[in-house]
Amino acid sequence: MTLFKKFSGELSDPESSDSDSIDSDEELQKAFAEGKLKSGFVIEAAPKKQLIKNKIGLLQKLDEMKVNLDWIERLDMVNTPARVLPGIEEEDSQQDIHNDFKREMTFYRQAQSAVLEALPKLHKVGLKTKRPEDYFAEMAKSDDHMKRVREKLLEKQLGMERSEKAKKLRDLRKYGKQVQKEVLQKRQKEKRDMLEAVKKYRKGQLNFKTFLPYKFEKCSEMTPNKKRIYKNAKFGFGGQKKRSKSNTKESVNDVKQYGRNFSKIKKSSKKGGSMVSYTNNKRLGKSRRQNVKSKK
Amino acid sequence: MGKRKHVRDTNNKDVSEGKKPKEDVILPPVVSSDEPVPRQKKWINKQRVLVLSSRGIGYRSRHLMLDLRSLLPQSKSESKMDTKDKLFVINEMCEMKNCNKCIYFEAKKKMDLYMWVANVPRGPSAKFLVENVHTMSELKMTGNCLKASRPLLSFSKEFEEDDHWKLLKELFVQTFGVPNHHPKSQPFFDHVFSFSVMDNRIWFRNYQILEEDASLAEIGPRFVLNPIRIFEGSFGGPTLYINPHYTSPNEHRRILKKTLAAKYLMKVEAKRGHEARKPTNSSYDLDPTDDFFTINPETLSATKT
């Protein structure tokens, strides 16, 4: 069993397993001190493989099977991946095998450079490369299949759009909420400040003008509306209303109001506006009244 | 399948008229069966590929095989091979089908797929493990191409560097390349097969050429070939190359299991060790005479009575 007992550090490169498979404890300790061994449990090392690479045989076979034909018969090319953009540096693609996007991109660019190399060559020979619109022939994928592909693409695109829309809405809502919050906070703050100022004013730390400068000015400019004035007069705002309706000496002595034609005076004064003495309205004699009637 | 039409420009044809080139054969709409069918004389590169699989192949691998068959007009089909048959039977099959190349899909354990690519009568042949298979019928592959147009073959620069890669490149060119003027092939160039070496594997992709400015769309299939061995003969013979980086899927699964088991074993071992190391009596020695004079209240009361 000791034959296979090795540490994980050695498993990674099977080619360099030149050390003895039977390791003494001392050797292991030494190796551990040097940092060659990782801590971890024991893993079986892969048994040594015999490596064969018959260079001469490979080349001989290559020569044997090669057919001497023009490039147009073979259409093979050796390409390095095409450059993405002149400014961008190419990264080392060998290390990104597990990065799907980068890996596929290198393959894509390799194919691209192949196309860029081959098409001019073919044009030079006089071969057409682009299929005209009216050339119909059997395709690798059926129309039905392509329809499904298109549907899928469309669905995906729609889904993306929908999600983007939802995202935007979500963002907007978030923003709106924040704005609302800010407004509320501002209002609260104003109120708090106001209350504090009022408190201070009450204590006499502030005078009226300093704590409400603009509102004070505004007040001086403003006049109360007429309705208010009337109501104030009627129901009281400013001054005692008690006993204001009881008779006084003057009101008692004012005889004008009492008389036969009190109501008429009131009416006419409302209509004409000018004061009319009731002597003018004295009833005429009978004959005169009849005359007036006949004239009408 | 549309027959190949004239795709050369007329003025170009005039120039080459002096040399009397071999004429492109266009079949009339009605052909009597008694007459021998005229041959395409320009068709020089006569590669024929037998594409077949073993029994017990999964659905995905079967689709992959069918995709390759549909993309390669020079391919021929054969019914599934029995798993118990010896591999060199395929050589005879190829001879009967008049094929000089072969792609053989070998399924094992209903989960692992191996692919043989062989140059039939005289070799070489290569065996690969096929990983990460995506077929052409997957909906995320959006491209499309003519069924039998000739693909451009693009290889990454690693194929020039090492001897075994060089050999594999030649093998791929001859199997995957559609011969010029093949009777079933179609004109125009609308797709690229790209072979790239990454992580000691060969990554196969098939792209449609959308525009002349090299914008592409993937058609599929896509798969990764992990080379195992290259043999001198077809389906056998002495080994020319063994891939040192290759671990068989069985081995891989075994190691995974083993590491999981080791974790449990470590835990058990640690528990046992802890038990063994736990002290049974107190950690330092006591003198038994130390508490000789301490009074035990019970014994005291007992003596009183």
Side-chain angles (χ1 to χ4, degrees):
Chain A
M1 211 58 237
T2 47
L3 186 76
F4 294 124
K5 282 215 166 181
K6 286 206 174 174
F7 281 79
S8 55
E10 286 182 7
L11 193 76
S12 56
D13 42 355
E15 282 166 298
S16 67
S17 56
D18 49 355
S19 60
D20 286 344
S21 51
I22 306 163
D23 295 321
S24 67
D25 284 354
E26 282 172 24
E27 277 176 359
L28 284 177
Q29 278 169 1
K30 209 174 165 188
F32 188 74
E34 281 168 11
K36 276 182 191 167
L37 300 182
K38 289 170 202 161
S39 61
F41 41 78
V42 182
I43 302 171
E44 255 185 46
K48 247 193 227 173
K49 271 184 195 166
Q50 63 182 119
L51 299 173
I52 298 177
K53 192 170 176 184
N54 187 352
K55 265 197 167 187
I56 303 158
L58 284 169
L59 289 177
Q60 207 177 345
K61 214 69 206 171
L62 180 63
D63 277 347
E64 196 184 305
M65 78 173 297
K66 217 166 203 170
V67 264
N68 228 347
L69 289 170
D70 293 342
W71 178 80
I72 195 68
E73 300 285 338
R74 294 160 57 89
L75 294 179
D76 65 320
M77 279 159 286
V78 174
N79 307 103
T80 48
R83 297 201 141 224
V84 201
L85 280 171
I88 296 170
E89 267 184 55
E90 281 178 47
E91 290 163 45
D92 191 13
S93 55
Q94 291 293 333
Q95 291 169 358
D96 306 317
I97 317 147
H98 298 290
N99 185 338
D100 281 7
F101 181 74
K102 271 187 185 168
R103 167 164 41 77
E104 292 306 318
M105 209 55 207
T106 51
F107 299 152
Y108 183 88
R109 286 191 287 125
Q110 186 197 321
Q112 265 188 330
S113 65
V115 170
L116 290 175
E117 189 188 327
L119 290 191
K121 268 190 192 174
L122 292 168
H123 287 306
K124 209 179 257 176
V125 184
L127 286 173
K128 279 184 184 166
T129 51
K130 205 167 166 58
R131 184 168 64 104
E133 290 292 305
D134 56 348
Y135 184 93
F136 293 108
E138 197 178 354
M139 305 292 279
K141 291 174 184 175
S142 64
D143 287 350
D144 189 40
H145 182 87
M146 286 313 286
K147 198 179 148 202
R148 276 172 64 203
V149 168
R150 241 170 278 134
E151 271 167 15
K152 175 96 186 282
L153 270 180
L154 209 70
E155 197 180 296
K156 203 175 168 188
Q157 204 178 343
L158 273 179
M160 288 245 282
E161 263 171 31
R162 226 174 287 146
S163 77
E164 205 131 284
K165 224 179 190 177
K167 206 176 174 186
K168 221 176 230 175
L169 254 175
R170 229 176 295 141
D171 281 355
L172 257 177
R173 209 174 293 153
K174 222 181 241 174
Y175 178 70
K177 249 184 193 172
Q178 208 174 357
V179 166
Q180 202 179 6
K181 204 171 141 195
E182 265 169 29
V183 166
L184 279 176
Q185 271 176 348
K186 203 181 161 192
R187 248 182 239 166
Q188 285 258 334
K189 203 191 162 219
E190 255 173 30
K191 194 179 171 186
R192 210 182 323 127
D193 288 352
M194 185 72 190
L195 282 174
E196 259 170 38
V198 167
K199 232 181 230 173
K200 276 183 183 172
Y201 168 69
R202 271 189 192 155
K203 283 177 187 168
Q205 288 169 341
L206 279 174
N207 70 347
F208 192 64
K209 272 197 177 176
T210 50
F211 111 80
L212 269 183
Y214 68 98
K215 278 178 186 172
F216 186 70
E217 275 172 30
K218 229 180 172 184
C219 281
S220 67
E221 281 167 12
M222 263 168 28
T223 49
N225 60 1
K226 283 184 178 164
K227 199 175 171 188
R228 186 74 264 169
I229 292 168
Y230 172 70
K231 278 189 172 174
N232 283 350
K234 189 176 178 188
F235 303 113
F237 190 81
Q240 200 181 29
K241 292 289 173 289
K242 219 177 185 180
R243 285 183 283 274
S244 66
K245 289 182 178 177
S246 59
N247 285 338
T248 56
K249 197 179 175 183
E250 282 131 47
S251 71
V252 170
N253 289 335
D254 189 11
V255 203
K256 268 185 194 171
Q257 292 175 17
Y258 310 98
R260 273 196 332 226
N261 292 323
F262 175 64
S263 58
K264 271 185 186 169
I265 296 162
K266 250 197 163 174
K267 259 185 193 169
S268 63
S269 72
K270 257 189 185 171
K271 269 184 188 171
S274 61
M275 273 289 278
V276 188
S277 63
Y278 56 90
T279 46
N280 284 355
N281 279 354
K282 209 177 180 181
R283 190 181 163 97
L284 301 169
K286 193 174 183 178
S287 57
R288 278 192 203 168
R289 270 186 281 141
Q290 274 167 348
N291 269 343
V292 171
K293 248 187 187 175
S294 63
K295 268 177 194 173
K296 275 178 184 175
Chain B
M1 195 77 56
K3 287 288 175 198
R4 172 167 276 272
K5 287 179 191 163
H6 261 296
V7 280
R8 292 194 172 211
D9 288 338
T10 45
N11 52 0
N12 208 331
K13 203 176 151 195
D14 292 338
V15 172
S16 55
E17 206 120 52
K19 291 183 205 164
K20 287 209 172 178
K22 293 167 185 174
E23 271 311 305
D24 219 353
V25 177
I26 302 167
L27 291 177
V30 182
V31 184
S32 125
S33 56
D34 296 336
E35 296 170 14
V37 182
R39 303 263 169 169
Q40 290 278 11
K41 281 166 193 157
K42 282 179 175 179
W43 177 26
I44 320 159
N45 185 16
K46 304 216 171 178
Q47 304 290 348
R48 293 183 187 88
V49 185
L50 187 71
V51 181
L52 81 162
S53 76
S54 71
R55 283 199 185 284
I57 195 173
Y59 66 97
R60 196 182 277 268
S61 340
R62 177 162 42 84
H63 276 277
L64 173 67
M65 186 183 69
L66 293 177
D67 287 349
L68 281 185
R69 255 186 215 162
S70 74
L71 282 173
L72 305 175
Q74 80 274 27
S75 68
K76 298 201 172 184
S77 59
E78 179 61 74
S79 53
K80 284 175 186 164
M81 269 257 298
D82 209 350
T83 39
K84 277 167 193 151
D85 283 348
K86 289 278 178 285
L87 278 176
F88 52 76
V89 179
I90 301 172
N91 291 333
E92 286 164 32
M93 280 182 191
C94 286
E95 202 181 331
M96 279 189 322
K97 285 263 174 184
N98 197 16
C99 292
N100 56 359
K101 295 285 174 306
C102 181
I103 299 174
Y104 173 57
F105 289 96
E106 192 177 16
K108 279 186 178 167
K109 290 192 164 183
K110 301 213 165 178
M111 49 170 124
D112 305 323
L113 183 71
Y114 297 92
M115 184 168 127
W116 285 82
V117 179
N119 180 25
V120 164
R122 304 211 37 183
S125 57
K127 191 187 182 186
F128 304 95
L129 175 71
V130 185
E131 297 162 323
N132 284 341
V133 175
H134 294 268
T135 65
M136 209 159 67
S137 42
E138 278 175 31
L139 290 179
K140 66 176 177 183
M141 313 273 199
T142 53
N144 198 0
C145 65
L146 287 172
K147 195 173 185 184
S149 61
R150 300 182 63 205
L152 305 172
L153 303 173
S154 164
F155 294 88
S156 68
K157 62 177 187 300
E158 285 89 345
F159 279 97
E160 290 277 87
E161 283 163 5
D162 233 333
D163 298 325
H164 58 281
W165 292 130
K166 275 183 200 166
L167 188 65
L168 286 180
K169 184 195 160 205
E170 188 59 33
L171 204 57
F172 286 146
V173 167
Q174 292 191 16
T175 40
F176 289 99
V178 175
N180 197 7
H181 293 290
H182 187 276
K184 279 183 187 171
S185 75
Q186 290 165 327
F188 312 116
F189 298 85
D190 60 353
H191 65 299
V192 191
F193 286 168
S194 96
F195 298 87
S196 323
V197 174
M198 209 179 257
D199 193 26
N200 300 307
R201 283 150 230 249
I202 301 161
W203 303 66
F204 175 91
R205 296 286 182 274
N206 180 16
Y207 294 102
Q208 180 196 1
I209 304 171
L210 289 174
E211 295 293 332
E212 304 274 286
D213 65 342
S215 60
L216 308 171
E218 192 167 355
I219 303 169
R222 55 159 79 160
F223 52 86
V224 181
L225 296 175
N226 193 356
I228 303 170
R229 270 178 195 236
I230 300 174
F231 299 97
E232 203 183 312
S234 77
F235 296 102
T239 310
L240 290 176
Y241 170 74
I242 294 179
N243 182 8
H245 306 285
Y246 169 74
T247 49
S248 80
N250 280 339
E251 188 76 13
H252 182 66
R253 283 191 287 263
R254 205 177 64 88
I255 287 172
L256 276 184
K257 253 189 211 169
K258 203 90 185 171
T259 48
L260 280 178
K263 211 175 167 186
Y264 171 71
L265 281 179
M266 284 288 287
K267 237 187 240 173
V268 171
E269 186 70 24
K271 227 176 226 175
R272 208 193 299 146
H274 184 247
E275 282 296 323
R277 273 181 273 116
K278 215 159 84 179
T280 45
N281 43 7
S282 49
S283 51
Y284 53 94
D285 289 336
L286 288 173
D287 192 354
T289 57
D290 269 359
D291 55 350
F292 190 77
F293 290 106
T294 52
I295 300 157
N296 192 345
E298 283 177 22
T299 50
L300 203 68
S301 59
T303 48
K304 267 186 184 174
T305 53

